[in-house]
Amino acid sequence: MSRFLFLAAAFAMLLTACGESSNATKPNQDDSDEISSSSLEETSSSSAKEVVADTNSVVKEDSRYSSSVFNSSSSEEPSETSSSDISEIESSSSEVEEPASSSSEEAEPTLSEACLEMRSTQDKFIPLEDVFDCVLPKEKVVFVIRHGERDKNADGTTGDLNRHGKSQSTYLGKQIAPKSSEEFYYISTKTYRTLNTDVYISKGKGETFLDSATVFGNDSSYHFVKDEDFTEKWFVKNSGSGDCKGVTSWARFTMFAYDTTACPNDFYNVDAKSIEFIDTHFMYEDIPNVTVAATHDKFIAPFLISLTNRKIGLEAHEYVKKNGYDNDWNQGVFKHWPNYLAGVAIIVNENNERAFVPVKGLKTGYLGEHCPNNEKEDDLYTCRMWEKDVK
């Protein structure tokens, strides 16, 4: 019995010893979780602080980030950045780093001193082709000129250019060709001499233009029109009088232009009618880039006198003997009358502001100026610009 009790006690002691050994080697799960969580939080906090410290150091060292983007002067902790703040920052950064688009735009072209002087000229004729050098890219130009040379009796609708007139017009076109690659728009009256002036200028310039007989049979084409406004009738109020204070016929067309009170019953006010003409035919939005209008001396004379503020020197009426219709002609008259292919350039900008430049297609803008003083001529219409004299 006692032996049995001893064995039982020994067995119990053995079981107790085994249980304690097992508890000593097995870790407590709850304690392990607490330790791991705490360690991670401390590590994370430490790393975050180091990152913030490093970021602040970079921000302070990089001068691209100004106080307008990052408020480094504030002692408070920065708040969370909203999406709108990010957009503002990105926009601000873009403005700082990218140059304004306007800086890359080309400056508007301006006129040289020489061009400004040319465009203010009123008392002399400028070579027609030179005007192209002083027209800005957005401007348009119209040349209203007298037709080329004709013979004395070549008048009326069928009156045409003579061989010199055709040569002169072709020459002018060749002078223009290097200055402009534009395809011109042409205007003439219902006469062969104005029409053929356009045709031969076009040929000289190297354009494809219909022959005069074909064009003359049509009222208009894509770059040509006939218009009777481009005649002296535009200025005439009463064609029946035929006399202005003793000056007859064509000489009246300079008298009434220089003295608007001289012929009140015969003519309209030259200044008002000249501006009305331009407003009717040459508004910026209604015209192509370049127009050539061939017309007649009785239109050119008053039109040019008005647009140059009476400075161009076309006082033909002062050189006509004022004894009615029986005038004693002299060369001084023709030295104050518009030459063939002379007229005016009208430069128009987008605001319909205009510059008027007297132009010549030949050596001189005055009809009789090129004739030798000692040459006696039965017919002063033969006082012409020969090919050998052209510039």
Side-chain angles (χ1 to χ4, degrees), residues 229 234 271-287 303 307 346 348 351-354 356:
D229 279 354
W234 181 263
D271 298 324
K273 290 296 284 185
S274 294
I275 295 303
E276 180 188 347
F277 184 86
I278 296 171
D279 288 344
T280 301
H281 294 282
F282 302 135
M283 298 297 285
Y284 183 89
E285 60 273 16
D286 298 329
I287 58 175
F303 192 57
L307 296 184
I346 305 169
V348 188
N351 299 317
N352 281 303
E353 297 166 330
R354 299 139 178 171
F356 308 115

Side-chain angles (χ1 to χ4, degrees), residues 214-280:
T214 303
V215 176
F216 194 73
N218 301 322
D219 286 336
S220 65
S221 69
Y222 74 101
H223 64 173
F224 171 77
V225 66
K226 295 188 291 293
D227 195 321
E228 285 303 280
D229 279 354
F230 289 73
T231 69
E232 66 272 15
K233 295 177 183 178
W234 181 263
F235 296 107
V236 175
K237 183 189 298 185
N238 177 13
S239 60
S241 173
D243 188 85
C244 274
K245 293 184 177 179
V247 178
T248 63
S249 186
W250 53 269
R252 299 178 299 141
F253 286 84
T254 61
M255 171 173 272
F256 97 94
Y258 278 103
D259 182 0
T260 57
T261 66
C263 316
N265 297 322
D266 292 356
F267 296 98
Y268 296 106
N269 179 279
V270 65
D271 298 324
K273 290 296 284 185
S274 294
I275 295 303
E276 180 188 347
F277 184 86
I278 296 171
D279 288 344
T280 301

Side-chain angles (χ1 to χ4, degrees), residues 136-275:
L136 294 173
K138 292 184 179 180
E139 293 179 325
K140 299 178 180 181
V141 62
V142 179
F143 297 99
V144 184
I145 58 174
R146 186 185 179 188
H147 56 75
E149 184 181 321
R150 68 179 175 96
D151 291 331
K152 181 177 181 181
N153 296 322
D155 52 10
T157 300
T158 59
D160 204 349
L161 303 177
N162 60 24
R163 65 184 181 89
H164 301 291
K166 293 174 183 178
S167 175
Q168 294 162 353
S169 301
T170 302
Y171 173 84
L172 178 57
K174 289 179 179 179
Q175 293 296 102
I176 293 170
K179 300 287 189 175
S180 176
S181 60
E182 292 278 351
E183 186 155 335
F184 292 0
Y185 186 86
Y186 294 93
I187 301 173
S188 82
T189 63
K190 294 181 180 180
T191 66
Y192 272 103
R193 57 190 176 278
T194 56
L195 171 59
N196 270 330
T197 298
D198 289 342
V199 168
Y200 282 92
I201 289 174
S202 176
K203 287 182 177 180
K205 187 175 176 294
E207 295 178 328
T208 302
F209 197 100
L210 299 174
D211 64 272
S212 58
T214 303
V215 176
F216 194 73
N218 301 322
D219 286 336
S220 65
S221 69
Y222 74 101
H223 64 173
F224 171 77
V225 66
K226 295 188 291 293
D227 195 321
E228 285 303 280
D229 279 354
F230 289 73
T231 69
E232 66 272 15
K233 295 177 183 178
W234 181 263
F235 296 107
V236 175
K237 183 189 298 185
N238 177 13
S239 60
S241 173
D243 188 85
C244 274
K245 293 184 177 179
V247 178
T248 63
S249 186
W250 53 269
R252 299 178 299 141
F253 286 84
T254 61
M255 171 173 272
F256 97 94
Y258 278 103
D259 182 0
T260 57
T261 66
C263 316
N265 297 322
D266 292 356
F267 296 98
Y268 296 106
N269 179 279
V270 65
D271 298 324
K273 290 296 284 185
S274 294
I275 295 303

Side-chain angles (χ1 to χ4, degrees), residues 29-41:
Q29 184 67 39
D30 294 337
D31 292 342
S32 176
D33 291 341
E34 290 175 4
I35 291 172
S36 299
S37 176
S38 175
S39 298
L40 289 171
E41 288 176 359

